């Protein structure tokens, strides 16, 4: 199966296969900023061509002849900032107000193709089609739970599966008011960080999501649910700060008045603790919120369940957090999953209190969501409350999250994993 590409004329200029991952010889043909690559696929030879705007994965059957593909790596229209739209519009000799019209069609009227943009001249629409991709994400499954948490499984243009969770109004979730609808979105396909308790890491990392794939989760969830989303948490699949440029480009569009218009203070990025990127995020002008997945109050406990702690230990991470807090003048949130007999002891609670007070941060305690195939479990409700009261007795602002959607496998990565396993069973 070959995806993400279109057949094109020979001669080809490059061959890149998994078997020979040497630097591909690619000659680029540039038309304004559209780029095209010619790739040759050989029979029965797995091939993978990766470019920041395009992914081609394929294998031809043995009996097939060689096939040449023309791969267009045009940027997606929903990955473009307003200034880039204006630049493109003027390159195409159209008046600048066309950029505003395009943005309106994308983010207000929610067009699903250039053809929908009926007040743009037809010839201009054709040029846009040549210059930009307009990818769509396809809804594969929607699960709703009793408390109306909804979980979406989406398929991307290269067949990758990602998931998003729509959480109904909930008091004080990440600093938001109680009337806000929150969506938890993914930033990568899979995750490379391999936390021991997490479904997203179980099958490893495939690729980063592009800005349009991040934004489309919000647009598609609004369309599917009929709800207006006004709070975004980057707590789905993947490590957002490992996909920094695409994440920031998506956030700029989510936040912009010409884009989705969601205030920076209603956008929370969660990280497993990439200390250098926390510092980098501190330099960004937007006042987005930061949540740190701590899950252990000592290197010993954290290191057992989060491999990232070996690269950036607690002190390195907390120093980066000090820096973030000083630059942003806002309170950080520490996420702390309670896992029975792993990180739920009174001693961990006391040490956690010390860490949180040092940063004047707050804590979200999250009872662990069971993941199929993993042996971890959540402590009893009494133990959860005891952990919470140790924190509160020490003056720490802490909440114990009632895990919405426990009944629909709401923890990140689980629906995808379950669906992939079902599909594998069907194929075999
Ligand atoms: N990679 C980032 C963001 C995605 S994970 C991070 O780790 O912060 C979002 C949150 O879900 C993290 O706090 C993560 O630890 C938590 N999480 C993962 N698996 C979980 C599970 N089974 N039950 C409860 N929370 C889980
Ligand atoms: Fe990746 Fe976050 Fe899951 Fe860890 S918790 S494996 S960083 S998604």
């Amino acid at each position: 199966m070959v995806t993400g590409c279109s057949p094109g004329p020979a001669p080809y200029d490059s061959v890149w296969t998994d078997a020979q991952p040497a630097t591909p010889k690619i000659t680029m043909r540039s038309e304004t900023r559209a780029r095209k690559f010619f790739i040759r696929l050989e029979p029965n030879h797995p091939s993978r061509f990766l470019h920041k705007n395009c992914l081609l994965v394929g294998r031809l059957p043995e009996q097939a002849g060689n096939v040449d593909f023309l791969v267009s790596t045009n940027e997606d229209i929903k990955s473009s900032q307003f200034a880039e739209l204006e630049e493109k519009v003027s390159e195409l000799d159209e008046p600048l107000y066309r950029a505003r019209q395009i943005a309106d069609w994308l983010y207000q009227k929610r067009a699903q193709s250039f053809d929908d943009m009926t007040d743009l001249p037809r010839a201009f629409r054709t040029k846009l089609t040549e210059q930009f991709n307009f990818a769509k994400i396809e809804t594969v499954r929607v699960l709703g739970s009793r408390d109306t948490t909804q979980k979406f499984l989406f398929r991307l243009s290269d067949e990758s599966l990602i998931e998003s969770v729509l959480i109904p109004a909930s008091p004080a979730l990440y600093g938001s008011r109680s009337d806000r609808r929150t969506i938890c979105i993914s930033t990568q396909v899979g995750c490379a960080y391999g936390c021991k308790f997490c479904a997203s890491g179980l099958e490893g990392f495939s690729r980063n999501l592009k800005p349009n794939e991040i934004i489309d989760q919000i647009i598609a969830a609004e369309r599917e649910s009929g709800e207006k989303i006004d709070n975004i948490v980057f707590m789905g699949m993947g490590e957002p700060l490992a996909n920094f440029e695409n994440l920031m480009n998506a956030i700029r569009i989510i936040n912009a008045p010409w884009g989705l218009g969601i205030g920076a203070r209603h956008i929370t990025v969660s990280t497993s603790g990439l200390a250098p990127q926390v510092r980098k995020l501190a330099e960004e002008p937007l006042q987005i919120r930061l949540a740190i997945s701590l899950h252990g109050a000592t290197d010993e406990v954290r290191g057992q369940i989060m491999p990232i702690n070996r690269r950036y230990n607690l002190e390195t991470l907390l120093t980066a957090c000090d820096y973030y807090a000083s630059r942003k003048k806002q309170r950080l949130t520490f996420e702390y999953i309670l896992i029975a007999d792993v990180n739920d002891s009174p001693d961990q609670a006391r040490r956690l209190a010390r860490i949180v007070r040092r940063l004047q941060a707050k804590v979200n305690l999250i009872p662990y969501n069971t993941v199929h195939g993993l042996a971890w479990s959540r402590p009893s409700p009494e133990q959860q409350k005891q952990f919470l009261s140790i924190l509160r007795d020490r003056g720490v602002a802490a909440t114990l999250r009632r895990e919405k959607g426990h009944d629909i496998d709401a923890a990140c990565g689980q629906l995808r994993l379950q669906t992939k396993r079902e599909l594998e069973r069907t194929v075999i």
Side-chain angles (χ1 to χ4, degrees), residues 15-22 24 39-42 44-50 55-59:
V15 177
W16 188 11
T17 68
D18 279 347
Q20 298 157 287
I39 312 274
R40 169 158 289 192
L41 288 191
E42 294 169 26
N44 207 23
H45 205 137
S47 302
R48 186 181 165 86
F49 169 81
L50 200 56
L55 174 74
L56 178 146
V57 194
R59 180 200 280 266

Side-chain angles (χ1 to χ4, degrees), residues 191 197-199 234-236 238-240 270-272 293 295 335 337 366-371 403 411-412 414:
C191 183
F197 48 80
C198 174
F234 286 93
M235 295 188 182
E239 168 50 53
S270 172
T271 180
S272 59
S293 293
H295 312 333
E335 305 280 315
I337 314 176
I366 310 154
Y368 181 64
N369 244 319
T370 322
V371 174
E403 195 53 62
C412 66
Q414 291 197 61

Side-chain angles (χ1 to χ4, degrees), residues 24-92:
K25 285 187 226 93
I26 296 173
T27 45
M28 268 187 261
R29 211 163 53 130
S30 188
E31 297 163 2
T32 16
R33 279 191 298 135
R35 287 168 173 186
K36 286 170 184 160
F37 298 88
F38 293 96
I39 312 274
R40 169 158 289 192
L41 288 191
E42 294 169 26
N44 207 23
H45 205 137
S47 302
R48 186 181 165 86
F49 169 81
L50 200 56
H51 180 273
K52 73 181 169 65
N53 294 326
C54 164
L55 174 74
L56 178 146
V57 194
R59 180 200 280 266
L60 296 172
E62 206 163 346
Q63 63 275 25
N66 291 348
V67 175
D68 295 306
F69 280 91
L70 172 64
V71 181
S72 155
T73 62
N74 289 349
E75 191 169 26
D76 197 275
I77 186 80
K78 276 187 244 153
S79 288
S80 305
Q81 301 297 325
F82 195 70
E84 292 168 325
L85 291 179
E86 284 192 325
E87 197 186 318
K88 181 63 78 180
V89 158
S90 59
E91 264 174 37
L92 297 174

Side-chain angles (χ1 to χ4, degrees), residues 310-329:
R310 281 180 236 135
R311 201 166 347 145
Y312 307 115
N313 65 16
L314 264 179
E315 195 41 47
T316 310
L317 174 59
L318 294 176
T319 314
C321 291
D322 285 331
Y323 181 68
Y324 188 90
S326 70
R327 297 283 302 196
K328 292 287 183 193
K329 308 268 181 294

